Each structure stands twice: as C-alpha cells, then as structure tokens.
Amino acid sequence: MKPVSVGLLGLGTVGCGTLNVLARNADEIRRRAGRSIEVRRAVARDLKRRRAADLSGIALSDNPDDVVNDAGIDVVVELFGGLDPAHGLILRAIDNGKHVVTANKALIADYGQEIFEAAQRRGVMVAFEAAVAGGIPIVKAVREGLSGNRIDRLVGIINGTTNFILTQIRDKQRSFADALAEAQLLGYAEADPAFDVNGIDAAHKLTIIAATAFGIPLQFGNVHIEGLADMDSRDVLYAGELDCRIKHLAIAKRTRGGIELRVHPTLIRGDSMLANVEGVMNAVMVDGDAAGPTLYYGAGAGAEPTASAVVADLIDVVRALTSDPENRVPHLAFQPGALSDVPVLDIGDVVTAYYLRLQVKDEPGVLAAITRVLGDLNISIEAVMQKETSGDGKPVPLVLMTYPVRERDMNEAVDRIRALDSVDDKVVRIRVEPLHGEACGERA
Ligand code: NDP
Ligand code: HSE
C-alpha cells in the first residue's frame, strides 16, 4: 500500500524526536499502522542550523505554505508551538483536506473548538495526545479507556519543568534560576518558560483534559492559575517536617456547585504516589465511578517521550483513514452536540484546607490574636508549628494547618491577620489536597 505522506512543521526538540522515533521504529510502525509513514517535507526557520535527526530524503523549507498547500501531503504534524502562525496554518491544512497532529496545548486550549468544528466539517482528524503530559497516553486513557465511567476528579502533575524545578530545589538545594536553566537546556521548557513557571502551560493542559473527562467546553479563561513565583525553600522544608510535599498540581473536580478547575502549588501527603513523582516525570490520577482511582505515570516532556505521543497519533490517523468520519472517536470524547453546560466554580467558593506561614513577633498573645481571627470566621486549626524563638521579640515563622475552609473566608481571614500589628504583611498560603484518605497535616 502507498505510504502515508507527512509534512512536519518544526524541527526543534519534538520535531527531531519524532523523526528519530519514526526512523528507528519504522518497521514496527508499519506493522501497526498497516502502511509506512514517511516524512516528505519539513519546515524550520533556520535551515542552516544542525538538527538532532537525519534529514536525508526530506524536502526542507522555511515556508510553511510548502507543507500545508502541497497536495501530496496527507498529514500535517504541527510542532511550531505558539498561536501564530500555527493557528492559521492548521485551519488551512484542514481546509486543504489534510489530517493534523499537534503537540500544541496553547492552541488547542484557546482555539480547539474552532479547529475541531472545521475538522468535523471537512471530515478530517485532529489528534493532540502530545499536548497533555508528554509521553503519557492520558488523552487516550480518559477519552477511550475510561469512557464507561462518570469521572469525578482528575489530579495531576502535568508540567515537567515545574516538577523538575521543585525536585531540584528540594533534593539538590539548587536555586530556582539554576534549575530552570537546566530544564531549558534539556528541552523541557516552553519557548517562553514563563508559561511553565506561571502555571499557564499546566492550565492549557488541564483545560483540554477536563473537557475530555467531563464533556464540558474548552474554557481556559475559567481556570484559576497560580505558578511557582511565590515558592520559598522554607515552605519546602516545613512541608517535609509535616510529612508532606509541595507539588504543582492541576485539579479538575466535580462538585455539587460546579466544576473546579485550578492549577497551583499544593501540599499533599509525602507517602502518596503523586508526592513521589520526581523530576520531569508527570502523573495523572483519575477517579472514575466504575474503575475507581487509576494513575498514569511517565515522562512529561522531552524529545522522545513527546514523540511517542505524536507517532501514536500518526498511527491512529493512518488506521482511521478509511473510516467513516461520522463514526470516529469524537475529538473531546463526547459527541460535539452533547456537551454539558455545568458551570465552573468560582475560586472563592472552592473549599480546601490550608497551610499558612506567617512571620510573627515573638511575644505573648500573638497566637491567641491569630486564632481569634480564625475562630471568628469559623476556621478550625488542625496543627500549629512554631519554628523558632528569637528571644527578643523579633519576627519568627509560625506555620498553621487549617481544616477545610471556603476560599472567600480564608481571604477575609488573611486580610484580618495581616492587619495585626504583631504579624508581617506577607502571609504564605498553600492549599492542601487530600488524595485518598487523610489530608496532609492530619497526623502532624
Ligand atoms: P522548539 O522551539 O524546540 O521547536 C520549534 C520548531 O519550530 C523549531 O524548529 C523552529 O525553527 C520551528 N518554527 C517555529 N516557528 C516557525 C515559523 N514561523 N516558521 C518556520 N519554523 C518555525 O519547540 P518544541 O519542539 O519544544 O515544542 C514544539 C511544540 O510541542 C510546542 O507546542 C510545545 O508546547 C509542544 N510540546 C513540547 C514538549 C517538549 O518537551 N519540548 C512536550 C510536549 C509538547 P528553528 O529551529 O529554525 O527556530
Ligand atoms: N514545557 C512543558 C513541560 C512541555 O515542561 O511540561 C511538555 O508539555
């Protein structure tokens, strides 16, 4: 059978990884797909740059039109990243009747609805497994493997760069900047690493996977996002003393009031499986009503782990080439006309326990004043850790663990605590997530 012709947009980390995997596993891939998959054209900005892949036999260009307008290309693999020009190119490729594979989570989170509708109309496929959690086939697992379940919660470490940074700070006492520089060198970080560090990349991925899990529209604008900007190595240390770890989590949860969509540093029990996901590894825990909790673990970034997902999508596309478009797996798991309009819960209504770290004057009556503020707002304290004494009334750190409280009430409490003369203005607060059973701090 005639090989399937691929046009590759991008020869960076993932583009070269994809070429290498396609070349190394060509025979296995052909046996799985039923046809050979051949990259005929590839596009990059700088055609003189040395690439980490064998480009022989591939027509190179710095003009993406050479791929999307070539009638001989069956599948366009978009690995440029970013919104522009990727958005227009993908729409044009679809318009030209080409199937699309992309690793671009920003694009799918922001423009997925438009892209999927265009693909539906044209009868072509758009596959995006590599957009979420690198080498972990989480989109496939949620969309197909768990399609018999009502999914109630999804909690994941879905940004490799931030997990790598947190692990380096904790285990190797490296500085934030140093760890980020290495993540960039290893090809984990986004072109603009602020997307990783500020939680935006994880929010893009959460947008996609939550839509797939709950059958809701893609709605990046409704995700509550906090990054690692306020991370302090003292909190990493104190979390350890509470037998907990701080992880940058993405959480999607079905509650009575609506769906929670949030990305933020989170305290979890140190003996939970997610707490022990280190370095660039990612993991996603999914609670289904029938399957119960399931956990998916693997490399969340990097050339070949991501290429693994890109190539799997290519094989899926090739296998489905002759299928009736109406009978293909829906892009976001649910039939396009069957999306739910369940609201996303305002972050002020989200209920979680809290870790609070305050700088307080080392003098009598300070703790009583703080507990009075919390008590007035019906916030119960789970544990208190006074870290040091200064002996001379100078500020010392005080750590409090609370029971679950509505975010709005915690905001009010923090405002009132910061107004106390004996407390410094900066109050660190980290949400606590119980994974299964006890929450962090319940044994402290
Ligand atoms: P890179 O920056 O390494 O590669 C991007 C490639 O696209 C480069 O070859 C670049 O050319 C080319 N390119 C970009 N814009 C243009 C343009 N306008 N015209 C021509 N060529 C262009 O990115 P990655 O490979 O790391 O990431 C690609 C995509 O995969 C992104 O969407 C990213 O979010 C996603 N992803 C990345 C992962 C990773 O671990 N890196 C993991 C999962 C997803 P040149 O080299 O000449 O500059
Ligand atoms: N920058 C992303 C990360 C790449 O670090 O997870 C994988 O999506």
Side-chain angles (χ1 to χ4, degrees):
M1 220 176 185
K2 188 169 145 284
V4 171
S5 292
V6 172
L8 193 57
L9 299 179
L11 284 171
T13 304
V14 186
C16 288
T18 300
L19 285 175
N20 290 331
V21 172
L22 282 172
R24 191 172 69 238
N25 298 338
D27 188 43
E28 298 269 305
I29 289 168
R30 185 185 45 74
R31 286 169 54 217
R32 287 189 170 117
R35 291 166 75 174
S36 299
I37 298 177
E38 289 181 3
V39 178
R40 293 273 165 78
R41 288 186 175 275
V43 177
R45 275 180 294 234
D46 180 356
L47 297 181
K48 293 207 182 80
R49 188 180 294 174
R50 264 174 68 94
R51 302 288 167 178
D54 179 3
L55 304 179
S56 46
I58 302 174
L60 298 181
S61 163
D62 56 7
N63 183 357
D65 290 351
D66 292 341
V67 164
V68 295
N69 294 339
D70 180 345
I73 296 293
D74 304 306
V75 188
V76 171
V77 177
E78 185 277 309
L79 300 172
F80 276 1
L83 299 181
D84 187 42
H87 177 214
L89 290 169
I90 285 186
L91 288 178
R92 200 131 49 79
I94 290 171
D95 210 33
N96 289 341
K98 299 181 193 318
H99 305 280
V100 172
V101 173
T102 179
N104 193 332
K105 48 267 166 139
L107 186 65
I108 296 297
D110 283 346
Y111 291 105
Q113 234 97 257
E114 179 194 14
I115 289 169
F116 298 144
E117 278 167 26
Q120 198 91 14
R121 280 196 302 275
R122 198 63 178 80
V124 296
M125 287 167 272
V126 175
F128 52 91
E129 180 65 67
V132 186
I136 307 176
I138 187 66
V139 172
K140 189 125 187 146
V142 171
R143 186 170 58 192
E144 296 169 52
L146 294 174
S147 58
N149 286 255
R150 173 193 150 103
I151 294 174
D152 290 318
R153 184 172 67 154
L154 197 144
V155 180
I157 294 168
I158 53 176
N159 182 270
T161 301
T162 45
N163 203 48
F164 179 84
I165 292 171
L166 285 174
T167 306
Q168 294 284 318
I169 291 175
R170 203 196 65 238
D171 291 354
K172 305 208 168 131
Q173 290 77 49
R174 290 179 75 182
S175 71
F176 190 100
D178 205 23
L180 173 60
E182 190 178 348
Q184 289 180 277
L185 208 66
L186 292 167
Y188 302 156
E190 293 303 295
D192 177 357
F195 275 61
D196 298 289
V197 170
N198 296 339
I200 295 166
D201 178 75
H204 284 143
K205 294 165 177 166
L206 185 70
T207 302
I208 298 169
I209 202 67
T212 315
F214 301 127
I216 55 175
L218 294 160
Q219 44 195 316
F220 172 70
N222 284 331
V223 182
H224 175 81
I225 310 172
E226 291 172 28
L228 292 187
D230 290 333
M231 277 304 301
D232 187 311
S233 54
R234 277 175 295 180
D235 299 310
V236 174
L237 187 77
Y238 299 158
E241 290 176 20
L242 289 160
D243 291 334
C244 296
R245 293 262 172 96
I246 299 174
K247 289 290 184 184
H248 192 245
L249 294 190
I251 299 170
K253 202 190 278 188
R254 203 191 282 272
T255 69
R256 235 180 259 156
I259 305 255
E260 292 179 15
L261 292 179
R262 48 196 171 95
V263 168
H264 50 71
T266 313
L267 226 72
I268 54 177
R269 270 182 57 161
D271 60 2
S272 61
M273 286 192 272
L274 282 185
N276 292 287
V277 173
E278 308 287 19
V280 73
M281 303 308 276
N282 280 191
V284 184
M285 195 186 77
V286 186
D287 286 341
D289 67 339
T294 53
L295 184 75
Y296 308 84
Y297 171 83
E304 292 217 357
T306 312
S308 161
V310 171
V311 173
D313 272 351
L314 268 170
I315 293 173
D316 262 3
V317 166
V318 173
R319 283 174 174 153
L321 279 177
T322 51
S323 67
D324 173 2
E326 293 305 311
N327 294 324
R328 290 180 185 146
V329 179
H331 290 107
L332 289 172
F334 290 74
Q335 297 298 337
L339 293 191
S340 152
D341 57 2
V342 55
V344 172
L345 205 63
D346 185 271
I347 189 69
D349 292 321
V350 168
V351 175
T352 62
Y354 269 93
Y355 161 104
L356 300 176
R357 177 170 58 78
L358 327 166
Q359 283 290 113
V360 300
K361 279 193 191 141
D362 189 16
E363 59 188 24
V366 175
L367 187 58
I370 294 166
T371 52
R372 201 172 310 118
V373 168
L374 294 173
D376 287 348
L377 289 159
N378 288 321
I379 300 173
S380 304
I381 299 172
E382 167 80 40
V384 179
M385 280 201 319
Q386 169 118 35
K387 294 310 304 171
E388 310 151 19
T389 51
S390 66
D392 55 8
K394 286 216 182 97
V396 290
L398 176 73
V399 172
L400 300 172
M401 301 289 294
T402 75
Y403 278 108
V405 44
R406 192 170 303 279
E407 174 113 0
R408 225 180 286 289
D409 295 333
M410 180 52 82
N411 292 344
E412 174 65 26
V414 168
D415 284 348
R416 291 191 200 174
I417 288 171
R418 287 169 60 203
L420 295 172
D421 285 343
S422 48
V423 180
D424 271 13
D425 203 41
K426 185 168 163 61
V427 173
V428 172
R429 54 209 198 128
I430 304 176
R431 297 177 191 84
V432 179
E433 187 71 17
L435 294 175
H436 285 286
E438 290 167 344
C440 194
E442 279 181 16
R443 295 163 305 158

mmCIF file of all heavy atoms in Angstrom, residues 215-237:
data_model
loop_
_atom_site.group_PDB
_atom_site.id
_atom_site.type_symbol
_atom_site.label_atom_id
_atom_site.label_comp_id
_atom_site.label_asym_id
_atom_site.label_seq_id
_atom_site.Cartn_x
_atom_site.Cartn_y
_atom_site.Cartn_z
ATOM 1 N N GLY A 215 -16.834 16.320 29.570
ATOM 2 C CA GLY A 215 -17.735 16.673 28.472
ATOM 3 C C GLY A 215 -18.179 18.123 28.552
ATOM 4 O O GLY A 215 -19.329 18.453 28.267
ATOM 5 N N ILE A 216 -17.264 19.002 28.979
ATOM 6 C CA ILE A 216 -17.559 20.439 29.044
ATOM 7 C C ILE A 216 -16.760 21.142 27.940
ATOM 8 O O ILE A 216 -15.788 20.581 27.444
ATOM 9 C CB ILE A 216 -17.196 21.032 30.436
ATOM 10 C CG1 ILE A 216 -15.717 20.738 30.787
ATOM 11 C CG2 ILE A 216 -18.125 20.499 31.516
ATOM 12 C CD1 ILE A 216 -15.223 21.381 32.073
ATOM 13 N N PRO A 217 -17.161 22.354 27.568
ATOM 14 C CA PRO A 217 -16.374 23.048 26.531
ATOM 15 C C PRO A 217 -14.972 23.372 27.028
ATOM 16 O O PRO A 217 -14.744 23.467 28.242
ATOM 17 C CB PRO A 217 -17.163 24.357 26.297
ATOM 18 C CG PRO A 217 -18.489 24.144 26.921
ATOM 19 C CD PRO A 217 -18.325 23.122 28.004
ATOM 20 N N LEU A 218 -14.054 23.564 26.088
ATOM 21 C CA LEU A 218 -12.714 24.046 26.438
ATOM 22 C C LEU A 218 -12.882 25.457 26.992
ATOM 23 O O LEU A 218 -13.543 26.294 26.362
ATOM 24 C CB LEU A 218 -11.843 24.102 25.183
ATOM 25 C CG LEU A 218 -11.510 22.755 24.532
ATOM 26 C CD1 LEU A 218 -11.091 22.958 23.081
ATOM 27 C CD2 LEU A 218 -10.414 22.034 25.312
ATOM 28 N N GLN A 219 -12.355 25.742 28.177
ATOM 29 C CA GLN A 219 -12.560 27.083 28.757
ATOM 30 C C GLN A 219 -11.360 27.493 29.603
ATOM 31 O O GLN A 219 -11.452 27.599 30.832
ATOM 32 C CB GLN A 219 -13.859 27.156 29.548
ATOM 33 C CG GLN A 219 -14.125 25.975 30.442
ATOM 34 C CD GLN A 219 -15.563 25.925 30.912
ATOM 35 O OE1 GLN A 219 -16.125 26.935 31.296
ATOM 36 N NE2 GLN A 219 -16.154 24.747 30.882
ATOM 37 N N PHE A 220 -10.266 27.746 28.905
ATOM 38 C CA PHE A 220 -9.025 28.143 29.562
ATOM 39 C C PHE A 220 -9.235 29.356 30.475
ATOM 40 O O PHE A 220 -8.682 29.428 31.572
ATOM 41 C CB PHE A 220 -7.969 28.459 28.484
ATOM 42 C CG PHE A 220 -6.713 29.053 29.020
ATOM 43 C CD1 PHE A 220 -5.833 28.287 29.768
ATOM 44 C CD2 PHE A 220 -6.406 30.389 28.801
ATOM 45 C CE1 PHE A 220 -4.657 28.837 30.280
ATOM 46 C CE2 PHE A 220 -5.241 30.946 29.303
ATOM 47 C CZ PHE A 220 -4.371 30.170 30.053
ATOM 48 N N GLY A 221 -10.089 30.288 30.039
ATOM 49 C CA GLY A 221 -10.310 31.524 30.801
ATOM 50 C C GLY A 221 -10.906 31.281 32.172
ATOM 51 O O GLY A 221 -10.849 32.167 33.042
ATOM 52 N N ASN A 222 -11.478 30.106 32.411
ATOM 53 C CA ASN A 222 -12.100 29.837 33.711
ATOM 54 C C ASN A 222 -11.210 29.034 34.654
ATOM 55 O O ASN A 222 -11.654 28.631 35.730
ATOM 56 C CB ASN A 222 -13.425 29.088 33.518
ATOM 57 C CG ASN A 222 -14.517 30.024 33.039
ATOM 58 O OD1 ASN A 222 -14.488 31.216 33.353
ATOM 59 N ND2 ASN A 222 -15.451 29.508 32.271
ATOM 60 N N VAL A 223 -9.967 28.779 34.251
ATOM 61 C CA VAL A 223 -9.066 28.030 35.136
ATOM 62 C C VAL A 223 -8.417 29.014 36.114
ATOM 63 O O VAL A 223 -7.919 30.068 35.699
ATOM 64 C CB VAL A 223 -7.953 27.309 34.335
ATOM 65 C CG1 VAL A 223 -7.050 26.502 35.270
ATOM 66 C CG2 VAL A 223 -8.556 26.403 33.269
ATOM 67 N N HIS A 224 -8.432 28.680 37.395
ATOM 68 C CA HIS A 224 -7.711 29.502 38.373
ATOM 69 C C HIS A 224 -6.236 29.083 38.312
ATOM 70 O O HIS A 224 -5.916 27.909 38.496
ATOM 71 C CB HIS A 224 -8.277 29.282 39.777
ATOM 72 C CG HIS A 224 -7.496 30.022 40.817
ATOM 73 N ND1 HIS A 224 -7.696 31.364 41.067
ATOM 74 C CD2 HIS A 224 -6.489 29.633 41.631
ATOM 75 C CE1 HIS A 224 -6.843 31.757 41.999
ATOM 76 N NE2 HIS A 224 -6.098 30.722 42.357
ATOM 77 N N ILE A 225 -5.351 30.056 38.084
ATOM 78 C CA ILE A 225 -3.941 29.708 37.829
ATOM 79 C C ILE A 225 -3.002 30.402 38.806
ATOM 80 O O ILE A 225 -3.032 31.625 38.931
ATOM 81 C CB ILE A 225 -3.517 30.132 36.399
ATOM 82 C CG1 ILE A 225 -4.512 29.628 35.365
ATOM 83 C CG2 ILE A 225 -2.115 29.621 36.083
ATOM 84 C CD1 ILE A 225 -4.261 30.171 33.949
ATOM 85 N N GLU A 226 -2.193 29.621 39.487
ATOM 86 C CA GLU A 226 -1.087 30.169 40.284
ATOM 87 C C GLU A 226 0.162 29.386 39.927
ATOM 88 O O GLU A 226 0.116 28.159 39.809
ATOM 89 C CB GLU A 226 -1.372 30.008 41.788
ATOM 90 C CG GLU A 226 -2.514 30.884 42.280
ATOM 91 C CD GLU A 226 -2.898 30.576 43.721
ATOM 92 O OE1 GLU A 226 -2.037 30.119 44.500
ATOM 93 O OE2 GLU A 226 -4.079 30.778 44.045
ATOM 94 N N GLY A 227 1.267 30.098 39.764
ATOM 95 C CA GLY A 227 2.512 29.435 39.411
ATOM 96 C C GLY A 227 3.435 29.287 40.602
ATOM 97 O O GLY A 227 2.989 29.246 41.747
ATOM 98 N N LEU A 228 4.718 29.229 40.293
ATOM 99 C CA LEU A 228 5.702 28.994 41.359
ATOM 100 C C LEU A 228 6.365 30.282 41.834
ATOM 101 O O LEU A 228 7.317 30.227 42.608
ATOM 102 C CB LEU A 228 6.796 28.042 40.860
ATOM 103 C CG LEU A 228 6.397 26.602 40.588
ATOM 104 C CD1 LEU A 228 7.648 25.782 40.259
ATOM 105 C CD2 LEU A 228 5.686 25.982 41.776
ATOM 106 N N ALA A 229 5.839 31.435 41.374
ATOM 107 C CA ALA A 229 6.529 32.698 41.651
ATOM 108 C C ALA A 229 6.789 32.909 43.143
ATOM 109 O O ALA A 229 7.829 33.427 43.530
ATOM 110 C CB ALA A 229 5.721 33.857 41.078
ATOM 111 N N ASP A 230 5.841 32.499 43.990
ATOM 112 C CA ASP A 230 5.994 32.780 45.429
ATOM 113 C C ASP A 230 6.635 31.630 46.196
ATOM 114 O O ASP A 230 6.640 31.629 47.425
ATOM 115 C CB ASP A 230 4.615 33.093 46.047
ATOM 116 C CG ASP A 230 4.098 34.431 45.544
ATOM 117 O OD1 ASP A 230 4.947 35.283 45.192
ATOM 118 O OD2 ASP A 230 2.868 34.600 45.472
ATOM 119 N N MET A 231 7.161 30.640 45.467
ATOM 120 C CA MET A 231 7.739 29.491 46.166
ATOM 121 C C MET A 231 8.955 29.901 46.981
ATOM 122 O O MET A 231 9.792 30.667 46.529
ATOM 123 C CB MET A 231 8.176 28.421 45.153
ATOM 124 C CG MET A 231 7.068 27.519 44.706
ATOM 125 S SD MET A 231 6.243 26.691 46.055
ATOM 126 C CE MET A 231 7.608 25.827 46.752
ATOM 127 N N ASP A 232 9.045 29.347 48.178
ATOM 128 C CA ASP A 232 10.134 29.696 49.085
ATOM 129 C C ASP A 232 10.669 28.375 49.622
ATOM 130 O O ASP A 232 9.894 27.497 50.026
ATOM 131 C CB ASP A 232 9.542 30.559 50.216
ATOM 132 C CG ASP A 232 10.606 31.126 51.128
ATOM 133 O OD1 ASP A 232 11.476 30.348 51.570
ATOM 134 O OD2 ASP A 232 10.545 32.335 51.411
ATOM 135 N N SER A 233 12.005 28.242 49.642
ATOM 136 C CA SER A 233 12.563 26.950 50.065
ATOM 137 C C SER A 233 12.202 26.627 51.517
ATOM 138 O O SER A 233 12.164 25.465 51.908
ATOM 139 C CB SER A 233 14.078 26.952 49.876
ATOM 140 O OG SER A 233 14.630 28.053 50.535
ATOM 141 N N ARG A 234 11.848 27.657 52.316
ATOM 142 C CA ARG A 234 11.424 27.363 53.703
ATOM 143 C C ARG A 234 10.149 26.518 53.722
ATOM 144 O O ARG A 234 9.987 25.624 54.535
ATOM 145 C CB ARG A 234 11.165 28.672 54.457
ATOM 146 C CG ARG A 234 12.417 29.300 55.018
ATOM 147 C CD ARG A 234 12.111 30.624 55.635
ATOM 148 N NE ARG A 234 11.652 31.574 54.627
ATOM 149 C CZ ARG A 234 11.297 32.833 54.884
ATOM 150 N NH1 ARG A 234 11.306 33.284 56.119
ATOM 151 N NH2 ARG A 234 10.916 33.644 53.920
ATOM 152 N N ASP A 235 9.242 26.811 52.786
ATOM 153 C CA ASP A 235 7.989 26.049 52.768
ATOM 154 C C ASP A 235 8.229 24.613 52.334
ATOM 155 O O ASP A 235 7.560 23.693 52.820
ATOM 156 C CB ASP A 235 6.966 26.749 51.865
ATOM 157 C CG ASP A 235 6.658 28.145 52.384
ATOM 158 O OD1 ASP A 235 6.360 28.268 53.584
ATOM 159 O OD2 ASP A 235 6.764 29.109 51.605
ATOM 160 N N VAL A 236 9.178 24.440 51.424
ATOM 161 C CA VAL A 236 9.538 23.075 51.003
ATOM 162 C C VAL A 236 10.051 22.306 52.231
ATOM 163 O O VAL A 236 9.667 21.159 52.482
ATOM 164 C CB VAL A 236 10.608 23.127 49.886
ATOM 165 C CG1 VAL A 236 11.100 21.738 49.526
ATOM 166 C CG2 VAL A 236 10.057 23.848 48.654
ATOM 167 N N LEU A 237 10.865 22.980 53.022
ATOM 168 C CA LEU A 237 11.444 22.360 54.226
ATOM 169 C C LEU A 237 10.354 22.046 55.269
ATOM 170 O O LEU A 237 10.257 20.926 55.785
ATOM 171 C CB LEU A 237 12.464 23.337 54.819
ATOM 172 C CG LEU A 237 13.286 22.837 55.972
ATOM 173 C CD1 LEU A 237 14.370 21.915 55.437
ATOM 174 C CD2 LEU A 237 13.939 24.008 56.717
#
